[in-house]
Amino acid sequence: MQRIGSAADVDSQEFRRNDLHNRQLAAELKVRQRSARFERPEKDFERLRRQNKLFVRNRIAALLDPETPFLELSTLAANKAYNGEVPGAAQVVGIGIVAGREVIIHADDSSVKSGAWYPLSVKKIVRALDIAIENRLPVVHLCDCAGGFLPLQAEFFADRYHAGRILRNQSILSKMGVPQVAIVMGHCTAAGAYVPALSEYNIVVEGTGAIFLGGPPVVKAATGEQVSAEELGGALMHTSVSGTGDYFATSEIHAIAIARNIVARFHRPAKSCINRVAPEPPVYDASELYGIIPKDARGQFDMREIIARLVDGSRFDEYQPHYATSLVCGFARLYGYQVGIVANNGVLFGDSALKGAHFIQICDKNRTPLLFLQNVTGFMVGREYERRGITKDGAKLIMAVSSASVPKFTIICNSSHGAGTYAMSGRAFDPRFVFSWPNSQISAMGAEQAAGVLTHVKARQLARTGGRLSEQELAGIREPVLEEYRERSSAYYATSELWDDGILDPVDTRTALAIALSASLNAPIDAPQYGVFRL
């Protein structure tokens, strides 16, 4: 493969301005992540100490193999919801190494609202189990949940992807032969009681762990019976009387040791075999990404500069480099694994869509995972482009993206707007993982375009009755639209709603992709199969 020659002028004023801006964004990201992970009122930490419970982060640290990476997902879920009072949606989820085995870890964070499930908590747990299903990853549940947050029950209880989906996904994992271990460290109430019950193995901690469909207050209200939590569903009762519990643990550390022994016994199926060689680092420093990403989201940059700082040896075998140049396609290696890269270098045209669709099929045929790097304002519009069949050509790209059997990974590097979001393997198209950068934006269209469209529509409505808007009135329509779009298209809003799997500092992207790619190979890769392409 040919090494990418970088044209980035690291001494230019523009590079330095971009660098300063994006370093500030990365610093802000780290502050927000640290707050979501560690900052709690002292009374919540005191409550955990009083109950002889470890903080969720300490539980995970004890579970993981020493000095191994933990790819945390959706750290900032719910950061824009519930008045900011439910950091991380009261859940910690990620991919880690336990007893030498890649696993999904799902942990209730009982330092936040006693681990109660909010609507976004449920969404985050469902997503974690979807990842386990897609990638055939065993799951370790660290259970400590006070039950659903009842004032919002209508938003998480009854629908297809609400709380019942957690239990359904657990059942599907079991059917697939993918094991789960649950450590009951606190109360598992109502639907939460089924999490350990649906796991192949569970461990209940003496004194703090309990499993029951209705806790003591519910039992008292429903039947008049007065019973303690230990009598109703404690470790001794469930491991010696009901048989709901498998292992009795005297402490959380004891329970974690039991769980690690269980995971060590798991069968390790062979990973899917794809083209791989010895890895090597990129030639260019990843920190230069800060100077390449434009300060203004509307600014242009060459996606090859991004690729050069992500892939092994900064080498890239570009496919059709002189055709349909607004879409960059080609082969590279990431930690030794061969990947096919599809990256935006501008708006999508009809020929870009055809090139992308053909390249995706090539990758699918030779079992090459796909990496999509998004910076797209959408497909080109206009009479001439419609006459050439841009909608038909765009449908081909969407068909190829939807039908590809190889693992897909998506990074939102800058803008992600309109149908371009879909064609570049957006969330709806089941990429194994989607990550954003702090500068990124995602929406049906850009803020400026949306404000222009809505202002134009209002002006036309008034024109029909002979009215006319003043410049001040036009601004009065335009500014609120701009403000709302900027807020709701930001990376922080997207990650709050779990439209991605987390925001990455750009310099961490290569490592995160390597972990995600390795995890994805636990699942078999199906043979290519496509629907109908409109010719």
Side-chain angles (χ1 to χ4, degrees):
M1 293 184 187
Q2 186 175 355
R3 181 168 293 159
I4 296 173
S6 176
D9 183 356
V10 297
D11 295 318
S12 70
Q13 287 190 354
E14 181 183 14
F15 187 97
R16 289 174 177 174
R17 281 194 296 267
N18 290 342
D19 182 84
L20 176 61
H21 175 74
N22 287 303
R23 285 182 186 274
Q24 289 172 340
L25 292 184
E28 179 190 358
L29 171 64
K30 287 180 171 58
V31 168
R32 291 189 184 220
Q33 288 177 330
R34 178 167 183 78
S35 175
R37 288 168 177 161
F38 299 106
E39 292 182 9
R40 304 287 185 271
E42 181 55 34
K43 63 181 177 61
D44 290 319
F45 286 124
E46 175 56 34
R47 172 171 51 80
L48 295 181
R49 288 191 290 268
R50 192 169 60 250
Q51 296 171 339
N52 292 319
K53 290 182 178 181
L54 295 173
F55 180 47
V56 65
R57 302 277 165 182
N58 300 111
R59 290 170 171 173
I60 292 171
L63 177 67
L64 293 170
D65 290 359
E67 298 183 8
T68 58
F70 178 58
L71 178 59
E72 186 172 345
L73 305 173
S74 300
T75 305
L76 298 176
N79 79 92
K80 295 286 186 179
Y82 318 127
N83 298 315
E85 296 176 356
V86 189
Q91 301 292 314
V92 182
V93 164
I95 300 172
I97 309 295
V98 175
R101 186 77 160 80
E102 289 168 315
V103 302
I104 286 283
I105 295 171
H106 151 234
D108 298 311
D109 184 352
S110 61
S111 72
V112 180
K113 310 294 184 182
S114 297
W117 288 357
Y118 282 68
L120 288 171
S121 311
V122 169
K123 189 173 183 180
K124 186 168 177 177
I125 300 168
V126 170
R127 173 60 186 150
L129 295 176
D130 281 343
I131 291 170
I133 290 169
E134 291 166 350
N135 300 288
R136 305 293 199 275
L137 291 173
V139 183
V140 179
H141 302 274
L142 306 183
C143 304
D144 191 354
C145 171
F149 184 67
L150 293 180
L152 298 178
Q153 63 84 25
E155 297 177 36
F156 69 76
F157 178 70
D159 206 355
R160 182 178 184 184
Y161 292 101
H162 285 175
R165 194 74 174 187
I166 297 170
L167 314 183
R168 176 265 184 193
N169 278 3
Q170 284 192 266
S171 303
I172 294 299
L173 281 167
S174 187
K175 183 175 78 170
M176 293 166 57
V178 180
Q180 299 170 77
V181 182
I183 309 177
V184 180
M185 297 168 151
H187 289 184
C188 295
T189 308
Y194 289 108
V195 173
L198 286 167
S199 297
E200 278 71 15
Y201 307 89
N202 68 52
I203 306 132
V204 191
V205 179
E206 180 186 21
T208 57
I211 304 168
F212 30 58
L213 295 181
V218 173
V219 171
K220 180 73 163 63
T223 69
E225 182 184 8
Q226 192 127 6
V227 62
S228 71
E230 273 297 305
E231 291 175 299
L232 186 63
L236 184 60
M237 192 283 287
H238 276 312
T239 57
S240 65
V241 179
S242 77
T244 303
D246 298 325
Y247 298 92
F248 178 96
T250 56
S251 68
E252 292 192 2
I253 292 298
H254 181 206
I256 289 167
I258 295 170
R260 285 181 51 80
N261 284 337
I262 292 169
V263 175
R265 293 196 299 269
F266 285 171
H267 171 65
R268 299 188 190 184
K271 288 194 174 189
S272 289
C273 182
I274 66 170
N275 189 321
R276 193 184 187 198
V277 299
E280 59 177 312
V283 169
Y284 304 103
D285 193 329
S287 67
E288 292 175 354
L289 291 168
Y290 296 132
I292 292 163
I293 305 163
K295 180 179 178 181
D296 186 336
R298 294 168 296 182
Q300 296 300 306
F301 63 96
D302 188 346
M303 194 61 85
R304 295 174 188 84
E305 299 286 359
I306 305 296
I307 295 168
R309 288 155 181 85
L310 294 180
V311 302
D312 290 14
S314 301
R315 284 190 281 272
F316 185 53
D317 184 5
E318 189 165 351
Y319 174 76
Q320 292 189 327
H322 305 298
Y323 174 70
T325 54
S326 73
L327 191 69
V328 175
C329 301
F331 296 98
R333 292 193 181 275
L334 188 74
Y335 276 84
Y337 293 109
Q338 180 171 278
V339 294
I341 297 177
V342 183
N344 301 115
N345 245 18
V347 68
L348 288 167
F349 294 92
D351 56 2
S352 315
L354 294 174
K355 173 181 172 179
H358 188 68
F359 180 72
I360 288 167
Q361 287 184 297
I362 289 172
C363 290
D364 207 18
K365 287 284 187 183
N366 67 10
R367 298 168 63 87
T368 299
L370 286 158
L371 171 60
F372 293 83
L373 302 177
Q374 287 194 6
N375 177 31
V376 60
T377 54
F379 284 89
M380 191 63 189
V381 298
R383 181 177 64 180
E384 185 58 32
Y385 298 101
E386 293 294 352
R387 289 170 66 88
R388 293 181 194 172
I390 191 166
T391 303
K392 181 173 66 173
D393 293 336
K396 294 184 182 72
L397 179 55
I398 288 171
M399 178 68 77
V401 170
S402 304
S403 302
S405 300
V406 293
K408 304 187 294 276
F409 308 88
T410 301
I411 306 292
I412 305 174
C413 299
N414 195 44
S415 295
S416 178
H417 299 306
T421 298
Y422 301 156
M424 290 295 293
S425 195
R427 181 65 122 183
F429 292 79
D430 293 331
R432 299 295 178 91
F433 297 91
V434 179
F435 296 108
S436 301
W437 286 353
N439 58 295
S440 66
Q441 301 175 358
I442 182 167
S443 60
M445 62 177 67
E448 296 287 342
Q449 291 86 347
V453 168
L454 293 174
T455 305
H456 176 70
V457 169
K458 186 65 176 177
R460 285 191 63 184
Q461 289 172 342
L462 284 172
R464 293 193 191 104
T465 58
R468 185 178 177 185
L469 290 169
S470 67
E471 287 299 320
Q472 187 175 1
E473 289 170 324
L474 287 169
I477 296 170
R478 181 181 177 83
E479 289 307 315
V481 174
L482 281 172
E483 184 178 347
E484 181 176 3
Y485 257 76
R486 285 169 182 157
E487 167 65 19
R488 295 206 167 199
S489 64
S490 74
Y492 289 106
Y493 186 86
T495 206
S496 178
E497 295 294 313
L498 286 106
W499 296 349
D500 62 19
D501 294 307
I503 303 175
L504 296 175
D505 183 334
V507 301
D508 296 330
T509 303
R510 175 176 158 84
T511 301
L513 283 171
I515 295 171
L517 178 54
S518 175
S520 76
L521 297 177
N522 286 283
I525 298 175
D526 296 332
Q529 185 175 355
Y530 289 88
V532 175
F533 287 86
R534 185 176 293 277
L535 302 177

